[in-house]
Amino acid sequence: MMDKPRIAVHKFASCDGCQLAFLNMGPELLELANHVEIVHFVEAGMVAPDAEVDIAFVEGSVSTEEDIERIHAIRKLSKQVITIGACAGSGGLQALRNLADGEQWLNELYPQPQYIQSLNNTHPVKDYIKVDFEVWGCPVSTQQIKQVVTSLLLGASPLQSKDKICLECKRQQRVCTLVTIPTTGTPKELENRQKACLGPITAAGCGALCPSVGRACYGCYGLADNAEPAALARRFEGLGLVSKAIAQKLLLFHSHEDALRRAAENMSETQEAFNGQ
Amino acid sequence: MYHAIKKKDLQALLDILNQSHQCVGPLVSEQTLKYSSISKLSQLPLGYSDQQQPGEYRLNYNSQSSYYFSITTGAQGVKPWLFKPEQKLWSVNKQNGSIEFNEALSEQKPLAIVGLRACDLAALKLQDQHFLQQQYIDPYYAQHRENLFIVAVNCHRSVDTCFCASTGDGPEVKNAYDLLLTELEQDFVIQSGSEAGRNVLEILSSRIPLHIVTAEQEQEKQQGLDKASQQVRRIPDRPVAQLLSHRLNHQQWNRIAQRCLSCGNCTMVCPSCFCHKEYDEPALDLTGSTHIRQWDSCFTAEHSYIAGFHFRKETRQHYRQWLTHKFAFWHEQYGRSGCTGCGRCISWCPVGIDVTEELELLCQEPSCYVDG
């Protein structure tokens, strides 16, 4: 029998939520441990950051000088590098600072900014090293992690579907929050007419979580394939949203995506939206 | 032979169907209409009606109304009950050095569906053509289709997105039903359209009074259908199939692409769209996997990915593929257009693209368009 593949889970600038997708497997994590050797996973108690591994999962964005060195080292130690989550994939929420003056924010937010050692901009992992596979989500789900790991263990390429949320939503026969106008319910529900849902441009994978409870998708799974953010932005204008609100919606999680930036930049007042002017 | 029954007596029909079938009907759920299990007449949306516009759907309620079937359509009709959004096809297991394939079909109670409209049933015939083709029978579709019992309903009103009158598919239900209801102010007119329907009608006659339809009732039925035929939308009265297939470089495709999100909602709600993809879900213990079929759409990037190449990259091409397949190439494939005029693609398009308006612009007389 071959040696079990060795796995590491690394953390960069992030909230740790994606790593929970492993821990949330519960008893299935023990089943997984029969097939892999988890050598580095600080949140689960294994610490061996310098060990060579077959698969390195990376959570978080690259935000400091030290992060840059560390991500290069991980690449050298790992046969495959797989990013998990919005931060590692496109910079995540904290990449909003790339739209502003990082230096200025630092001085405004911290009483003693000289102790903060962060780069002015934060970057997705792929900006520094070759990434073999990206798992999208904020956070990624246990289901996605299981799918990726089992596929790799069986020697198959993991599924990489970046279809739109709408397909997932319609397959479940959920009600379209962007089309349906509520006519019964509490005054609050009635006040909420059609919702500015990002489902039509957002990649599936979450199971249409927010629309399935009647909320608008806010785009945490990243941009879908052949998405049309500019056309959706125009539809949001039709719903009565001002440019600033639309730009903020588009850029919240994945401001590093060129297509989203272009769509947001085409809306007027975008700069003010991020400079708080 | 037509009969009339009192509205409250529809309960007896639901009772009969529920004895032998899984019975589903059009219920109000989450601000729209969804087909779900039904056993009581009181579950039907008495007093509700729908209002549909491009990219808009709303339900209205009128406490004075005596109508149970005033909502024309929701986002889905019969399609998800036969061609399932997710269907397990088979599973495979590794055992003692060999692999074993297992069929995923399991014994199921036959399905009865109440409330389908003329457009839904015309689309059902299109799906039958696709999934039950000669020797290529799809067993997963066939399983529910074979014993499907259909209680159809004639529309007594249309909404602004309906255009079944112009496709020739409605509003009157003409075939593919077991029983057909026409709702009047006080009664239902009921008629059978199959052996199974006649049998159920006979059982029904032993439980409730079936009246002979009066001339007034016949007139009221016709008035309802006439009213439903008054539709504001229509497909162009021109040779759409020929015109479209010669206008693949029409400028209007670019204009549509300015608005189209390529989101695929039109294909998901279309009662005749049948595209799907398949994938495997490996078990965590690595001893097997499940093979699953899932609704797909010609608007996804993956759908046009073949041999390492995306042959339809732009939204213009995705929309053109959908429209020309539905209205032009469907003729060659199945002998008619793939559209039955239900208008779902108009209402449920998040940006309100109106297929009838686009066809009108694309099929205008040559003097009005620039090809290039």
Side-chain angles (χ1 to χ4, degrees):
Chain A
M1 175 123 181
M2 261 174 25
D3 285 344
K4 288 195 247 177
R6 289 155 63 86
I7 283 184
V9 181
H10 294 277
K11 174 189 158 62
F12 284 76
S14 58
C15 77
D16 289 32
C18 291
Q19 296 178 62
L20 286 177
F22 284 92
L23 297 178
N24 288 345
M25 280 185 207
E28 288 185 315
L29 189 59
L30 299 176
E31 178 61 47
L32 182 68
N34 288 332
H35 304 283
V36 299
E37 188 189 343
I38 303 173
V39 295
H40 174 74
F41 186 3
V42 176
E43 200 159 305
M46 296 80 145
V47 185
D50 302 324
E52 287 193 8
V53 294
D54 295 282
I55 309 168
F57 288 94
V58 178
E59 177 200 82
S61 67
V62 177
S63 278
T64 64
E65 290 290 348
E66 187 211 341
D67 281 352
I68 299 176
E69 285 169 31
R70 200 151 61 89
I71 197 68
H72 284 294
I74 288 168
R75 180 69 265 187
K76 282 190 191 128
L77 292 166
S78 321
K79 287 192 186 134
Q80 293 206 63
V81 174
I82 296 179
T83 61
I84 50 174
C87 304
S90 75
L93 281 176
Q94 61 269 29
L96 285 172
R97 79 166 184 248
N98 300 358
L99 302 171
D101 182 345
E103 183 92 33
Q104 188 195 337
W105 277 20
L106 209 61
N107 290 325
E108 282 173 5
L109 290 171
Y110 295 93
Q112 292 180 301
Q114 68 271 28
Y115 295 115
I116 308 292
Q117 292 177 336
S118 71
L119 299 168
N120 260 350
N121 285 346
T122 189
H123 286 267
V125 172
K126 66 185 165 209
D127 282 4
Y128 294 97
I129 61 166
K130 175 178 169 270
V131 171
D132 298 288
F133 193 77
E134 295 174 316
V135 187
W136 290 89
C138 187
V140 299
S141 70
T142 295
Q143 188 55 32
Q144 288 171 287
I145 295 290
K146 271 159 54 179
Q147 208 275 332
V148 169
V149 175
T150 48
S151 296
L152 289 173
L153 289 174
L154 290 166
S157 307
L159 274 185
Q160 180 64 292
S161 174
K162 296 195 88 184
D163 288 351
K164 283 116 191 159
I165 293 279
C166 293
L167 300 193
E168 218 165 31
C169 204
K170 282 284 187 291
R171 284 188 204 117
Q172 297 177 40
Q173 297 200 50
R174 296 298 176 191
V175 171
C176 183
T177 60
L178 189 48
V179 165
T180 312
I181 303 172
T183 46
T184 56
T186 63
K188 197 170 178 344
E189 281 165 338
L190 289 176
E191 178 187 300
N192 243 333
R193 283 172 57 95
Q194 291 156 307
K195 300 188 178 88
C197 179
L198 288 174
I201 59 164
T202 302
C206 64
L209 195 59
C210 292
S212 72
V213 292
R215 295 180 54 164
C217 165
Y218 49 86
C220 67
Y221 266 60
L223 201 62
D225 279 338
N226 67 313
E228 297 284 3
L232 187 63
R234 284 193 290 275
R235 176 72 189 99
F236 287 175
E237 283 184 321
L239 293 178
L241 267 71
V242 295
S243 313
K244 182 172 161 177
I246 298 168
Q248 284 176 336
K249 260 185 186 299
L250 292 176
L251 296 175
L252 183 60
F253 282 87
H254 298 278
S255 58
H256 218 74
E257 289 279 2
D258 283 343
L260 289 173
R261 278 219 200 178
R262 277 199 305 276
E265 274 160 13
N266 283 337
M267 318 284 320
S268 53
E269 303 166 33
T270 305
Q271 277 319 109
E272 290 110 278
F274 289 95
N275 294 332
Q277 285 159 9
Chain B
M1 184 73 168
Y2 300 175
H3 289 96
I5 61 171
K6 288 285 155 213
K7 287 211 176 167
K8 66 174 173 49
D9 288 339
L10 193 63
Q11 181 62 52
L13 177 62
L14 294 178
D15 292 341
I16 294 166
L17 293 177
N18 267 294
Q19 277 171 6
S20 48
H21 291 72
Q22 181 200 357
C23 186
V24 301
L27 310 187
V28 164
S29 165
E30 300 174 63
Q31 312 285 351
T32 179
L33 181 91
K34 279 187 187 176
Y35 281 86
S36 317
S37 291
I38 178 172
S39 58
K40 295 272 167 259
L41 184 62
S42 59
Q43 290 173 273
L44 284 173
L46 178 67
Y48 281 92
S49 63
D50 54 335
Q51 195 178 335
Q52 301 188 40
Q53 290 288 335
E56 276 187 27
Y57 186 98
R58 83 173 87 196
L59 292 181
N60 294 319
Y61 177 66
N62 173 3
S63 61
Q64 306 300 311
S65 167
S66 64
Y67 284 83
Y68 286 98
F69 293 100
S70 285
I71 305 177
T72 59
T73 57
Q76 302 290 345
V78 64
K79 183 166 97 167
W81 294 93
L82 302 178
F83 168 38
K84 304 243 158 113
E86 294 228 341
Q87 173 78 55
K88 200 187 279 185
L89 298 184
W90 41 261
S91 59
V92 58
N93 284 298
K94 216 163 30 177
Q95 268 177 349
N96 309 323
S98 66
I99 56 170
E100 182 189 284
F101 287 85
N102 301 303
E103 173 64 72
L105 272 179
S106 59
E107 202 66 29
Q108 301 228 351
K109 215 174 173 184
L111 182 71
I113 186 158
V114 179
L116 294 176
R117 305 306 170 106
C119 54
D120 294 326
L121 293 175
L124 175 68
K125 282 181 82 178
L126 296 176
Q127 292 254 300
D128 284 352
Q129 270 186 304
H130 181 75
F131 287 106
L132 306 174
Q133 246 183 99
Q134 297 159 30
Q135 68 267 46
Y136 306 107
I137 306 281
D138 183 277
Y140 311 95
Y141 181 91
Q143 183 186 29
H144 298 281
R145 181 66 182 101
E146 272 165 11
N147 299 311
L148 180 66
F149 190 92
I150 296 169
V151 182
V153 173
N154 273 325
C155 287
H156 58 264
R157 62 185 285 272
S158 282
V159 291
D160 285 353
T161 47
C162 291
F163 57 99
C164 64
S166 70
T167 65
D169 295 304
E172 187 173 11
V173 177
K174 297 226 174 82
N175 45 35
Y177 62 88
D178 295 297
L179 288 175
L180 172 59
L181 298 173
T182 308
E183 188 166 22
L184 311 178
E185 182 84 37
Q186 303 295 333
D187 315 276
F188 285 111
V189 174
I190 187 166
Q191 62 198 85
S192 59
S194 72
E195 188 63 40
R198 276 185 288 280
N199 291 340
V200 170
L201 204 55
E202 203 174 307
I203 303 170
L204 192 65
S205 69
S206 68
R207 299 195 186 181
I208 57 156
L210 295 188
H211 307 280
I212 302 296
V213 172
T214 63
E216 288 77 25
Q217 285 170 326
E218 183 57 47
Q219 195 188 357
E220 192 185 340
K221 176 186 169 191
Q222 197 51 49
Q223 278 168 352
L225 284 166
D226 289 346
K227 196 172 122 215
S229 305
Q230 305 297 315
Q231 297 174 349
V232 292
R233 284 183 164 76
R234 55 179 295 115
I235 52 164
D237 189 16
R238 286 182 215 118
V240 170
Q242 289 92 317
L243 288 169
L244 282 183
S245 38
H246 289 103
R247 294 181 179 183
L248 299 179
N249 293 315
H250 198 295
Q251 278 185 353
Q252 188 58 23
W253 301 117
N254 296 329
R255 295 190 199 109
I256 298 167
Q258 294 279 308
R259 287 171 287 146
C260 178
L261 302 172
S262 241
C263 64
N265 274 303
C266 46
T267 60
M268 293 285 114
V269 298
C270 177
S272 70
C273 275
F274 49 68
C275 284
H276 55 263
K277 63 177 174 186
E278 293 173 19
Y279 68 97
D280 291 289
E281 216 165 68
L284 198 59
D285 64 6
L286 308 181
T287 58
S289 68
T290 307
H291 195 72
I292 298 163
R293 174 170 79 185
Q294 195 176 52
W295 282 2
D296 198 10
S297 165
C298 49
F299 283 88
T300 70
E302 216 180 329
H303 192 268
S304 56
Y305 182 79
I306 288 176
F309 180 67
H310 284 285
F311 61 91
R312 281 194 290 268
K313 277 193 173 160
E314 297 166 21
T315 293
R316 177 184 65 92
Q317 296 166 312
H318 287 285
Y319 190 87
R320 190 180 66 185
Q321 165 63 24
W322 181 65
L323 200 80
T324 53
H325 181 214
K326 192 72 64 189
F327 288 91
F329 307 123
W330 205 291
H331 285 268
E332 290 162 34
Q333 207 175 358
Y334 295 116
R336 57 156 290 176
S337 138
C339 175
T340 65
C342 71
R344 286 185 175 94
C345 61
I346 305 175
S347 305
W348 297 99
C349 173
V351 295
I353 295 176
D354 177 350
V355 72
T356 61
E357 188 183 324
E358 301 308 336
L359 284 172
E360 192 61 46
L361 292 165
L362 285 158
C363 298
Q364 272 170 1
E365 289 309 311
S367 59
C368 304
Y369 82 94
V370 184
D371 202 350

